[in-house]
Amino acid sequence: MSGSSVHETVLSWSAGHERVIGARADESVLSAAERADLALPFGCRTGACATCTGRVVDGRIEHSRPPRALKDRHLAAGYVLLCIAEPRSDCRIEVGSDVQTELVSNPWK
């Protein structure tokens, strides 16, 4: 390992359960979750589709590349794309389909 920091990352679902994983500063939250045998939804793995949307409620995350699926107002509200989001501190992130639903309205409803 390159000696990068490991940050405690709490993933929380609206149903009330949580899972704590260790995420290195040089890996995405999605990769850290997979390493911990935790399945999270994802699509493109490039920050283009928003399938893996989470919302940071505490801590600091940086995207490894521009998150094309998020607008400035989404970033200001704390939304992140877990496939390209790297932790820069211990953090708490809301995850799950409810978070994506908050971000993307369904035009067919």
Side-chain angles (χ1 to χ4, degrees), residues 1-5 24-27:
M1 194 175 300
S2 64
S4 81
S5 302
R24 296 187 314 258
D26 64 349
E27 72 178 337

Side-chain angles (χ1 to χ4, degrees), residues 79-93:
Y79 291 102
V80 295
L81 301 177
L82 301 177
C83 69
I84 58 171
E86 298 175 347
R88 296 296 182 254
S89 69
D90 292 349
C91 54
R92 173 176 291 275
I93 304 171

Side-chain angles (χ1 to χ4, degrees), residues 44-64:
C44 66
R45 290 187 181 268
T46 64
C49 75
T51 302
C52 62
T53 300
R55 192 169 72 84
V56 176
V57 292
D58 191 29
R60 195 165 68 88
I61 292 283
E62 290 183 8
H63 289 107
S64 60

Side-chain angles (χ1 to χ4, degrees), residues 26-38:
D26 64 349
E27 72 178 337
S28 71
V29 173
L30 178 63
S31 294
E34 290 174 333
R35 193 167 39 76
D37 290 327
L38 178 62

